[in-house]
């Protein structure tokens, strides 16, 4: 365990379903991130939360909806997804003020949209 | 545009055969270069941060170096357990403090 826990580890959902991914960290970090990792592509930054406030939304489709209720928890709500959304979704955390020290990643949720 | 390019895409080595992975970058105002290791089915695991040209860091069989345009991850006498995908990322430029990742190099070490 890295200190960042993601659930579920695997998720299969239909295009009309609604599901949520959960991320939890107990490292005392104050910034949390959602990344998408697809085969043959670099990690794509989706959302950044700093001190529970969304500070970045990288042109992500509205079918992805993040939520950060406190500095330890981050959610990614999914609805009406497309097959091309199938990927590994990674959560990470860091100290926002000293992010140059690197991020701590969770193990990811492998999402398959059918 | 800020960019990170890693080469080769894949590398196969025999156990004990030393080699290097390359990460070239274009970023205005580098604030740090990061190396991560990622095993199948897991998230990236932090290895090193390099901040300025000429800096070097070592951990077991791995050594990371940095110039003004690229970084190398040298692997000395690798073992099968070093097999993984190695990711390079940079911070700085227009990224507003967020990391920009390369596609990674998949390393396979055969016994």
């Amino acid at each position: 365990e890295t200190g960042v826990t993601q659930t579920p580890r695997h998720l299969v959902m239909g295009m009309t379903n609604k599901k949520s991914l959960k991320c939890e960290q107990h490292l005392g970090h104050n910034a949390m991130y959602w990344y998408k990792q697809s085969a043959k592509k670099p990690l794509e930054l989706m959302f950044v939360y700093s001190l529970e406030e969304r500070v970045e939304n990288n042109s992500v489709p509205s079918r992805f909806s993040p939520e950060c209720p406190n500095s330890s928890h981050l959610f990614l709500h999914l609805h009406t997804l497309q097959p091309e959304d199938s990927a590994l979704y990674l959560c990470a955390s860091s100290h926002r003020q000293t992010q140059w020290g690197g991020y701590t990643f969770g193990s990811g949720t492998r999402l398959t949209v059918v | 545009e800020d960019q990170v390019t890693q080469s080769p895409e894949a590398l196969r080595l025999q156990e004990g055969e030393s080699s290097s992975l390359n990460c070239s970058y274009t970023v205005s105002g580098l604030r740090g270069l990061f190396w991560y290791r990622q095993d199948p089915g897991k998230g990236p695991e932090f290895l090193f941060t390099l901040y300025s040209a000429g800096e070097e860091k070592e951990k077991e069989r791995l050594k990371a170096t940095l110039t003004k345009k690229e970084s190398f991850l040298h692997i000395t006498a690798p073992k099968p357990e070093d097999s993984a995908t190695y990711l390079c990322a940079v911070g700085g430029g227009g990224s507003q403090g967020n990391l920009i990742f390369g596609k990674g190099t998949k390393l396979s070490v055969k016994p």
Side-chain angles (χ1 to χ4, degrees):
Chain A
E1 282 297 334
T2 64
V4 177
T5 303
Q6 289 188 244
T7 55
R9 291 296 308 276
H10 302 274
L11 178 62
V12 179
M13 59 186 288
M15 289 191 283
T16 58
N17 291 159
K18 288 185 180 181
K19 296 286 184 184
S20 296
L21 310 185
K22 180 182 176 182
C23 177
E24 188 173 348
Q25 62 92 7
H26 296 288
L27 299 170
H29 291 165
N30 57 12
M32 297 187 78
Y33 311 81
W34 279 117
Y35 277 88
K36 175 182 179 182
Q37 188 174 35
S38 305
K40 306 284 187 180
K41 289 186 176 181
L43 269 71
E44 299 173 56
L45 179 63
M46 299 176 72
F47 301 105
V48 180
Y49 275 84
S50 177
L51 299 171
E52 301 155 40
E53 179 182 346
R54 190 191 310 180
V55 296
E56 189 152 338
N57 175 345
N58 266 5
S59 303
V60 179
S62 60
R63 56 186 183 269
F64 295 91
S65 174
E67 179 189 0
C68 187
N70 55 61
S71 60
S72 297
H73 294 86
L74 184 65
F75 295 89
L76 187 62
H77 304 298
L78 316 171
H79 66 96
T80 326
L81 294 190
Q82 304 298 310
E84 59 264 29
D85 297 322
S86 298
L88 181 68
Y89 288 84
L90 291 163
C91 172
S93 69
S94 75
H95 289 290
R96 188 63 177 169
Q97 295 87 344
T98 58
Q99 69 270 29
W100 311 114
Y103 297 175
T104 302
F105 284 87
S107 294
T109 294
R110 172 66 63 185
L111 173 67
T112 304
V113 181
V114 297
Chain B
E1 181 185 345
D2 301 329
Q3 200 167 353
V4 177
T5 304
Q6 291 188 247
S7 62
E9 188 174 315
L11 181 62
R12 291 189 169 199
L13 299 174
Q14 287 297 125
E15 185 173 1
E17 179 187 3
S18 301
S19 189
S20 298
L21 313 182
N22 177 263
C23 171
S24 61
Y25 62 90
T26 304
V27 64
S28 56
L30 179 71
R31 297 287 300 274
L33 185 139
F34 302 81
W35 282 99
Y36 287 85
R37 169 191 170 128
Q38 186 174 22
D39 293 299
K42 294 190 175 182
E45 175 189 348
F46 173 74
L47 291 174
F48 304 110
T49 308
L50 302 167
Y51 292 103
S52 57
E55 189 175 358
E56 298 182 353
K57 288 195 176 172
E58 287 187 67
K59 179 180 180 180
E60 296 181 358
R61 295 175 293 281
L62 300 177
K63 179 180 178 180
T65 62
L66 181 65
T67 72
K68 288 186 178 180
K69 293 184 177 181
E70 58 190 351
S71 176
F72 291 93
L73 185 65
H74 306 278
I75 304 176
T76 303
K79 298 182 177 182
E81 53 262 41
D82 295 321
S83 297
T85 295
Y86 291 85
L87 301 174
C88 173
V90 297
S95 66
Q96 298 181 14
N98 303 316
L99 297 185
I100 302 165
F101 283 84
K103 294 182 180 180
T105 294
K106 185 176 181 179
L107 174 66
S108 299
V109 182
K110 302 299 182 185

